[in-house]
Amino acid sequence: MPKLTINGQAVEVPAGTNLIEAARKVGVEVPHYCYHPALSIAGQCRLCMVDIEKTPRPTIACNTPASDGMVVWTETDRVKETRKSIMEFHLINHPLDCPVCDQAGECWLQIYYMRYGLYDPRMRDEKVHKPKAVPLGPHVMLDAERCILCSRCVRFCDEVTGTGELGIFHRGDDSEIGLFPGKELVNKYSGNVVDICPVGALTDRDFRFAVRVWYLDSTASICPGCARGCNIEVHVNRRRPHHNEGRRVARLKPRFNADVNRWWICDDGRYGFTFVDDKTRLVAPSSREDGAVSDATWEEAIAAIVGALGRFAPAEIGVFASPKMANEDLWALRRVLEQCGIRRVAFRVPPPVPGDEDTLLIRSDKNPNSRGAELLGLDGDGAAILRAACVRQVKCLWVFGHDLLASAWDPAETDAALRALSLLIFIGTNSNATSERAQWVLPAAAWVEREGTYTNFEGRVQRFRQAVEPLGQALPEWDILGRVLQALGAEVGAPRAERWFRELTSGVPAFGGMSYQAIGDTGAVLNAPSAGQPRSEPASRTPLR
Amino acid sequence: MSASTVAFSDAQLAEVRRLQALYPDARAALLPVLHMAQETFGHISLEAEEYVAGLFDVTPAHVHEVVTFYTLFFRQPKGRHVVAVCHNLSCHLAGAPEIIAHVMRRLGIGVGATTDDGRVTLQAVECLCACEHAPMMQVDDRYEFGLTPEKVDQILEGLR
Ligand code: SF4
Ligand code: SF4
């Protein structure tokens, strides 16, 4: 392991570490554009110049491996002068777009110019003009004038997705990022090029002119889009709600987690949050009688559920838990089931078309918490529950979130099962064909409106936090179920997600010893035996007590 | 141009494979193969770029990068003769702008265009490594040095 000094600080790094990463280790930031730790070295932007003793000229740090005895200085007058010239060079043809550029406020041209810029520009020539506002695909917009030709986006498509759609065409000051004429940027990870573009050349069409980034607040969360559980930030526009037609969640951004998603998320996850502010959101408890829907209070709704749980024999009640519910919700549900002696429970509802999967991130299981639901012992036979409903063995069905009518199961049979029921209770965030058939519909808070944990397919338990208030009267499922338990006469502690999690950790050995604090921002892996392994065989199921 | 017109003969395909085998990274043969494509198809259309990409297992975007980078690849049908006037620094100082303006007047076309009769395509290009003879231009595969309007007229006269 080479030992070197950077700005007088000694540091030892693994062989092959480049000087940008070595400097990072001692808290020194070497400014750069084209270097990205996930991509190959391009050495294109020339901004990461540093001085190395016994080397005649400043050298690019990204392409220089640390070596033993190296003495590196990142802030010499010569380096500063070089940076200033390079910034000047990058801006020769850059348009004065900041006032209308979505990147403003998180743009590395702005940031580095403020730090190292020339402030007194010498360019008087007409700038070279290039295409602006060119949609590259469904998600990405290109402004070729703003591009500094760092080639990060090109390398991303070559090296990470392997799709190679982007190229740098022509040369000299005519060089221009683009697609092969007539093609589109449609790979499943296209949104990531917006994240890694250091400037405003690639921007998000979904975020275009939506809100200035400095009005956004950020909350650490987990993508609920599939079993991978990519780490994300939820960016919320609380301070200028009128800027985005009341859409509360402005965008989702990937959050680095070396063990889960590294720097990336897929497009389905990135743009999959629209249900949160959709018109189909359920905002108040309601009951339906003879086709007439009327709003109800939470007290009435809880009383109705508790009444049903008493009226039907436990064997006459079937429950569809959801793998989109958090561990906390599922634990609260399990306690209700145990309290009532209900054993007919399932959580898997096969989707009409099998989910897509790839080797990068995307999992075919489009639920964030199937592993948690398995570990909590809720993995029963859903089809059998519906069959039992058809023959009136099950008379009351309690569905969390699922649309049973939009599954791989025969819609006619499902329809017959639902028709045969005496009572259908639905709890979920949004209405669907199944909720339309329910006598009681209770609004659940969406994942950005509450906190909780999901267990990903590899057995990593990860926390998501509350970014916005629940819409209307919606409540987290653990809260609804806690109220039910209380009405059933059970002991229930303070209404906090964390308390339910603590209870879960003492009830399910795989979670033993975990805490919100230990999970932190990067997650914690379940206890052995199944810990940290991709599941190849069915996970051990904890039976209902 | 329809897709079927963009295809190498079996002998050419064998030549492609031979060229690819010459280099540690087969992509290095892209340039000679693009020259083959230009000679065979007259110019390198988008279809030809896609065709060549298929021969190299690279994406069409990367072939497009190479074709647009080099001025000697023609993406439109070119004239029977190509006149490429240097307008880089030395030639510029030695009067390239006047030379280019003169050629444009004589041929009645702009830079990048081809005369209606398909006789000449005019280009303005970067340094051709003959600064000592500025202003200069390349006509097909020969260099013409020390240009004056009179000399240019003479040269253009000779192009049939
Ligand atoms: S578009 Fe952005 S990421 Fe791509 S080369 Fe230009 S500046 Fe770099
Ligand atoms: S791979 Fe899965 S978890 Fe990651 S962003 Fe996509 S949907 Fe979300």
Side-chain angles (χ1 to χ4, degrees):
Chain A
M1 296 237 294
K3 287 197 193 96
L4 64 164
T5 70
I6 297 175
N7 295 353
Q9 300 183 70
V11 60
E12 190 172 349
V13 293
T17 307
N18 71 36
L19 292 182
I20 292 185
E21 296 298 341
R24 225 197 281 278
K25 260 193 118 171
V26 290
V28 171
E29 186 194 333
V30 179
H32 59 267
Y33 289 120
C34 69
Y35 172 72
H36 189 288
L39 305 173
S40 60
I41 305 290
Q44 207 132 329
C45 74
R46 316 311 287 180
L47 188 58
C48 67
M49 297 273 190
V50 295
D51 256 327
I52 303 170
E53 282 185 12
K54 304 205 186 72
T55 306
R57 283 177 297 277
T59 311
I60 53 171
C62 66
N63 202 28
T64 309
S67 69
D68 219 27
M70 225 178 212
V71 180
V72 181
W73 300 97
T74 71
E75 304 300 323
T76 60
D77 287 345
R78 194 163 69 158
V79 165
K80 287 187 193 156
E81 205 42 53
T82 309
R83 268 181 208 153
K84 196 178 278 187
S85 315
I86 288 170
M87 288 305 299
E88 182 182 26
F89 187 65
H90 278 303
L91 285 163
I92 285 179
N93 285 314
H94 198 83
L96 258 180
D97 276 359
C98 299
V100 294
C101 177
D102 283 331
Q103 189 83 359
E106 54 185 14
C107 173
W108 289 97
L109 272 176
Q110 290 183 326
I111 295 166
Y112 287 151
Y113 202 81
M114 297 301 285
R115 276 188 217 159
Y116 312 115
L118 185 65
Y119 285 89
D120 188 12
R122 296 179 296 171
M123 285 300 296
R124 274 176 294 160
D125 301 78
E126 173 78 4
K127 289 177 189 265
V128 174
H129 292 292
K130 293 180 189 171
K132 298 179 83 68
V134 184
L136 292 185
H139 303 305
V140 182
M141 188 72 90
L142 166 69
D143 185 306
E145 289 187 341
R146 297 180 193 157
C147 172
I148 58 163
L149 297 167
C150 74
S151 83
R152 275 184 173 185
C153 56
V154 178
R155 283 173 287 146
F156 176 84
C157 293
D158 285 352
E159 298 164 16
V160 180
T161 60
T163 44
E165 297 96 329
L166 291 168
I168 297 180
F169 307 132
H170 308 286
R171 64 165 140 165
D173 58 8
D174 286 334
S175 295
E176 200 177 298
I177 279 289
L179 295 158
F180 189 80
K183 295 256 191 302
E184 264 195 307
L185 185 64
V186 285
N187 72 60
K188 295 228 159 232
Y189 297 88
S190 69
N192 293 289
V193 300
V194 172
D195 302 335
I196 57 173
C197 179
V199 302
L202 300 177
T203 52
D204 202 321
R205 294 182 72 183
D206 187 57
F207 186 68
R208 196 164 166 74
F209 305 139
V211 55
R212 307 286 3 195
V213 297
W214 48 88
Y215 293 131
L216 295 175
D217 296 313
S218 169
T219 305
S221 187
I222 301 297
C223 173
C226 83
R228 175 76 57 179
C230 292
N231 291 210
I232 56 168
E233 286 172 7
V234 179
H235 288 182
V236 169
N237 170 17
R238 255 194 231 102
R239 285 176 266 182
R240 292 291 188 282
H242 53 285
H243 282 190
N244 201 11
E245 291 165 358
R247 189 170 108 176
R248 297 172 301 162
V249 177
R251 62 181 182 181
L252 304 184
K253 283 280 189 187
R255 183 163 60 88
F256 178 79
N257 187 324
D259 297 314
V260 182
N261 53 305
R262 308 218 298 156
W263 296 265
W264 324 123
I265 54 174
C266 77
D267 289 353
D268 287 343
R270 185 187 298 264
Y271 303 109
F273 62 86
T274 47
F275 74 93
V276 170
D277 284 322
D278 195 78
K279 321 193 266 306
T280 60
R281 270 307 291 278
L282 299 167
V283 290
S286 65
S287 67
R288 178 182 284 108
E289 219 174 322
D290 304 324
V293 181
S294 45
D295 279 1
T297 63
W298 272 112
E299 287 69 29
E300 291 164 342
I302 302 292
I305 293 181
V306 172
L309 295 175
R311 197 157 72 246
F312 296 98
E316 292 175 334
I317 301 174
V319 177
F320 276 100
S322 166
K324 295 195 194 306
M325 290 159 79
N327 294 314
E328 292 75 4
D329 308 324
L330 296 168
W331 175 256
L333 175 61
R334 174 161 151 176
R335 283 211 41 208
V336 171
L337 302 181
E338 285 170 356
Q339 180 81 19
C340 302
I342 298 168
R343 309 188 67 98
R344 290 191 203 264
V345 56
F347 73 84
R348 290 182 207 277
V349 173
V353 280
D356 57 322
E357 177 157 323
D358 64 22
T359 51
L360 187 53
L361 296 175
I362 298 173
R363 303 290 304 173
S364 65
D365 177 7
K366 300 302 171 196
N367 300 293
N369 203 23
S370 298
R371 191 73 190 276
E374 276 167 22
L375 289 164
L376 266 70
L378 305 174
D379 199 0
D381 183 349
I385 295 177
L386 288 184
R387 280 196 301 275
C390 279
V391 295
R392 303 256 322 136
Q393 280 168 3
V394 163
K395 293 180 181 150
C396 169
L397 196 61
W398 192 358
V399 177
F400 288 87
H402 293 289
D403 186 0
L404 302 176
L405 292 159
S407 72
W409 291 327
D410 178 9
E413 277 170 35
T414 308
D415 179 71
L418 296 185
R419 249 176 235 291
L421 293 171
S422 305
L423 178 63
L424 175 59
I425 302 166
F426 181 91
I427 299 184
T429 55
N430 296 64
S431 65
N432 60 34
T434 302
S435 74
E436 298 288 323
R437 306 278 285 269
Q439 282 76 37
W440 278 97
V441 176
L442 278 52
W447 102 108
V448 289
E449 298 169 343
R450 45 162 295 179
E451 63 173 340
T453 58
Y454 295 135
T455 310
N456 86 347
F457 77 108
E458 293 178 303
R460 177 174 292 269
V461 182
Q462 309 193 90
R463 273 184 81 179
F464 58 92
R465 295 157 202 256
Q466 180 176 0
V468 289
E469 290 301 311
L471 211 57
Q473 300 177 44
L475 294 174
E477 284 98 334
W478 57 257
D479 195 351
I480 304 174
L481 292 160
R483 292 174 192 216
V484 170
L485 260 183
Q486 203 155 29
L488 287 168
E491 279 281 327
V492 178
R496 287 173 46 224
E498 188 172 4
R499 200 200 59 75
W500 288 100
F501 188 77
R502 227 180 291 133
E503 208 181 284
L504 157 68
T505 58
S506 51
V508 183
F511 291 85
M514 278 189 185
S515 66
Y516 270 15
Q517 210 178 354
I519 294 171
D521 280 336
T522 52
V525 174
L526 290 171
N527 297 325
S530 44
Q533 298 291 328
R535 192 173 62 83
S536 48
E537 54 205 308
S540 57
R541 288 168 194 170
T542 319
L544 291 171
R545 274 179 286 174
Chain B
M1 188 178 287
S2 79
S4 61
T5 59
V6 176
F8 286 144
S9 67
D10 288 346
Q12 285 175 311
L13 287 173
E15 174 65 3
V16 170
R17 282 190 294 275
R18 189 190 69 81
L19 290 166
Q20 288 173 334
L22 290 180
Y23 304 95
D25 183 340
R27 283 178 303 176
L30 202 48
L31 285 181
V33 170
L34 284 170
H35 280 297
M36 268 173 66
Q38 177 153 295
E39 277 157 32
T40 311
F41 311 129
H43 69 286
I44 301 180
S45 62
L46 293 177
E47 289 90 331
E49 289 180 10
E50 287 192 274
Y51 176 70
V52 171
L55 298 177
F56 277 83
D57 195 27
V58 299
T59 63
H62 293 319
V63 176
H64 196 60
E65 286 183 314
V66 175
V67 172
T68 56
F69 185 89
Y70 292 104
T71 47
L72 290 180
F73 290 131
F74 288 85
R75 299 190 292 128
Q76 258 85 49
K78 61 172 191 280
R80 289 193 297 284
H81 303 281
V82 177
V83 171
V85 189
C86 173
H87 66 169
N88 215 285
L89 188 60
S90 307
C91 287
H92 184 96
L93 295 176
E98 293 75 44
I99 296 294
I100 293 173
H102 184 76
V103 180
M104 279 166 54
R105 251 193 325 274
R106 269 294 125 91
L107 295 176
I109 55 172
V111 170
T114 302
T115 52
D116 286 342
D117 58 3
R119 195 168 61 96
V120 181
T121 298
L122 172 62
Q123 288 188 312
V125 297
E126 306 305 333
C127 187
L128 291 170
C129 288
C131 301
E132 68 275 30
H133 300 297
M136 62 79 66
M137 68 184 184
Q138 183 177 359
V139 178
D140 300 329
D141 43 18
R142 43 172 224 281
Y143 276 10
E144 298 287 355
F145 299 137
L147 300 177
T148 59
E150 298 70 39
K151 186 161 182 193
V152 165
D153 287 345
Q154 232 173 44
I155 294 166
L156 292 180
E157 252 330 275
L159 301 178
R160 286 288 134 225

